Amino acid sequence: MTLSLPIDPEANALLARDPLALLTGMVLDQQIPLEKAFTSPYVLSQRLGHVPDARELAGYDPDALIEIFARPPALHRFPKAMAARVQEVCRVVVERYDGDPARIWADATDGPDLLRRIGELPGFGKQKSQIFLALLGKRVGVRPTGWREAAGGYGDDGAYRSVADITDGESLRRVREFKQQQKAAARAARD
């Protein structure tokens, strides 16, 4: 299996080969279309003139990083907050994983341990952690024992619930349809 989102092929290639780009895309995947979130690591590398590593971003001047995120077109709807969030995640990667984001999953003992490790990253609540775990399992081949169970419904085979299930335009449509149904059900429950 491989990662193949319906985005620019060069952005996809970066996500497939660079664990920090993949992690950054997941960090940014909130309150913007997922295509934008997962393309932004590629745009960031273009703006920097190279693919950054966790140490570089962790130590980057915060104001300069905000400027890079905010430059039109902004890398996120909330460039200041998300530049800070990416930097916070990179600091954790440097402090706990010696700057290597792949160690988050490579060193995990099993699915629950990997879910815990992901959940300790800034901005990763339970749902986002489960989605990232499912993405790693379904698209990247990271499958420690118990990963599907730890990912909850996002780990289900044949599901169309999140970025973990997207391989083309049709699967993207099905994921969006599922999300719309979830939002409608949540609205109906409130009313």
Side-chain angles (χ1 to χ4, degrees), residues 15 36 44 47 61 69 78 83 87 97 103 106 110 133 150:
L15 295 172
K36 175 85 171 161
L44 176 62
R47 291 179 182 180
D61 174 81
F69 267 68
F78 302 108
Q87 193 163 47
Y97 302 103
R103 285 189 50 205
D110 57 22
L133 176 53

Side-chain angles (χ1 to χ4, degrees), residues 155-184:
D156 292 348
D157 201 23
Y160 291 95
R161 295 183 178 165
S162 73
V163 66
D165 304 305
I166 298 172
T167 57
D168 56 22
E170 174 59 19
S171 56
L172 173 63
R173 183 193 65 74
R174 292 179 72 175
V175 166
R176 287 214 165 109
E177 189 175 272
F178 173 80
K179 288 182 177 187
Q180 289 170 348
Q181 290 169 356
Q182 294 299 106
K183 286 180 183 178

Side-chain angles (χ1 to χ4, degrees), residues 27 30 80-90 121-124:
V27 169
Q30 62 184 58
K80 182 177 182 180
M82 296 314 286
R85 176 66 49 77
V86 167
Q87 193 163 47
E88 290 168 5
V89 168
C90 287
L121 297 170
F124 280 76

